[in-house]
């Protein structure tokens, strides 16, 4: 994985997409400059999950944008996705690496500094620092890192980092100033009336 | 897989187990003669699911009783389970076979005769004829096969069959008389005050 792929990392959420197909939101966001896409689905049949992953993989392939599957190693393998993103209550990293092989991307969510130290001992491809800010789209999270915590996390981590939780046009510039490689965005793109423009706006703010 | 392994196939359901650990129920049932065990969990973190699967695999190994994981190919691979049981909305069979390799057990639920014909064209290890009777433990099922339908299903199938749905002391003898290789039991064992004795009683009725 290229470290630059983390820059604007779209995380899908069908619950927030309303009537719009997730494929359309993903396509528009990628055309607006999103660099990586994570498919996150919790209440979905495995077959439907795989079908959606296959459609997104086909959609993203021509753009050279990696598709990452949240949690489900089986879905990633079945759909030929580029990797998985695992949290602390998902499959343990060593098992996921064994099943996915050395080449696929594995990202790991860390919720505190102890978990960053643990991740430093693993050959994960990146860590997701989660959450930076409190956010309504992830309700089961730990105490937010805040900007101060994020700066410390970036310094501590031997791996590339992506900031998760509360990423939007108001926070993106401050977050990037902490030295993180990128931001993982859910609602600021999925809920936007124009996901392409929302992505462009975020990227503009991030590179100011 | 030995066709005889299907004879008394315990399917776990933590929701029905109440305060008792699923491991204890499984151990007692296997000591009472259960021939195969399926771990079925829907609302559980992946890490917890794998942990439970590993504990059951260790528990079952000395008894030579295969452990089957419902739906989740990733959990089966991570825990070194003996196979998976997939339904019509789980991973498509061909993908599951590719990920699991030729030696692991794959069972497939069929809900009508058309699906039995489809299964006949696949090298599945067994089919679960589901449901034979209406049952409160699976509420998302199709029209029950009934005994007449089960007889027809057994005749049609080129694979070993196990009858699912409404299997208990009242139905077991009639079900076995339809020629099926075994019965998949949930509540008649999981809810029993003495799972060992409940398993023994079922086996006695089945061999009368």
């Amino acid at each position: 994985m290229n470290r630059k792929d983390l820059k604007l990392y779209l995380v899908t959420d069908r619950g927030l997409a309303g009537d719009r197909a997730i494929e359309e939101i993903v396509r528009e966001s990628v055309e607006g400059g999103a660099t990586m896409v994570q498919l996150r689905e919790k209440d979905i049949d495995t077959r439907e999950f795989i079908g959606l992953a296959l459609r997104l993989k086909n959609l993203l392939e021509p753009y050279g944008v990696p598709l990452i599957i949240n949690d489900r190693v089986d879905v990633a393998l079945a759909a030929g996705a580029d990797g998985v993103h695992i949290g602390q209550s998902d499959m343990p990293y060593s098992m996921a690496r064994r099943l996915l092989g050395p080449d696929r991307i594995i990202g790991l969510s860390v919720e505190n500094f102890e978990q960053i130290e643990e991740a430093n001992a693993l050959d994960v491809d990146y860590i997701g620092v989660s959450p930076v800010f409190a956010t309504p789209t992830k309700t089961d999270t730990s105490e937010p890192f805040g900007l101060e915590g994020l700066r410390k996390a970036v310094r501590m981590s031997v791996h590339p980092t992506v900031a998760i939780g509360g990423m939007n046009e108001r926070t993106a510039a401050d977050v990037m100033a902490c030295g993180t490689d990128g931001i993982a965005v859910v609602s600021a793109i999925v809920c936007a009336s124009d996901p392409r423009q929302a992505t462009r706006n975020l990227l503009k703010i991030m590179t100011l």
Side-chain angles (χ1 to χ4, degrees), chain A:
Chain A
M1 186 197 69
N2 193 315
R3 185 179 276 260
K4 285 181 183 161
D5 290 342
L6 293 172
K7 187 160 188 186
L8 207 166
Y9 187 172
L10 171 64
V11 179
T12 67
D13 189 322
R14 286 199 307 178
L16 296 173
D19 291 340
R20 293 176 304 167
I22 211 71
E23 292 95 314
E24 265 322 293
I25 294 168
V26 167
R27 183 193 302 277
E28 288 178 32
S29 180
V30 166
E31 286 177 352
T35 52
M36 195 139 106
V37 174
Q38 179 185 135
L39 176 57
R40 185 170 76 190
E41 294 292 340
K42 289 297 179 189
D43 296 311
I44 187 174
D45 284 336
T46 299
R47 184 164 302 196
E48 199 182 345
F49 199 167
I50 293 170
L52 187 51
L54 282 167
R55 293 199 298 281
L56 287 183
K57 179 64 196 159
N58 284 337
L59 188 162
L60 293 172
E61 194 85 67
Y63 296 97
V65 167
L67 174 67
I68 305 297
I69 306 295
N70 186 284
D71 177 16
R72 294 289 298 266
V73 170
D74 51 349
V75 172
L77 289 169
D82 299 279
V84 297
H85 183 89
I86 51 180
Q88 298 287 328
S89 60
D90 296 335
M91 187 181 291
Y93 172 74
S94 58
M95 287 179 175
R97 179 56 75 196
R98 180 167 59 79
L99 294 179
L100 290 164
D103 297 332
R104 274 193 244 234
I105 299 166
I106 304 183
L108 179 66
S109 280
V110 296
E111 293 167 4
N112 54 55
F113 298 111
E114 196 186 333
Q115 291 173 1
I116 295 176
E117 283 188 359
E118 289 167 8
N120 280 347
L122 306 172
D123 60 335
V124 300
D125 294 281
Y126 70 87
I127 59 167
V129 181
S130 169
V132 174
F133 304 115
T135 159
T137 47
K138 286 200 83 176
T139 50
D140 57 344
T141 51
S142 318
E143 187 70 17
F145 279 83
L147 290 171
E148 193 73 36
L150 177 61
R151 254 191 300 274
K152 183 176 166 191
V154 169
R155 275 200 312 272
M156 273 182 72
S157 177
V158 302
H159 303 294
T161 60
V162 63
I164 304 181
M167 300 297 115
N168 56 47
E169 292 187 22
R170 292 184 309 283
T171 57
D174 289 343
V175 165
M176 290 308 286
C178 295
T180 186
D181 294 282
I183 64 174
V185 180
V186 189
S187 59
I189 291 174
V190 176
C191 302
S193 58
D194 184 342
R196 188 182 337 236
Q197 196 54 50
T199 307
R200 281 195 189 123
N201 292 348
L202 280 165
L203 281 167
K204 198 185 283 178
I205 290 162
M206 291 165 72
T207 45
L208 278 183

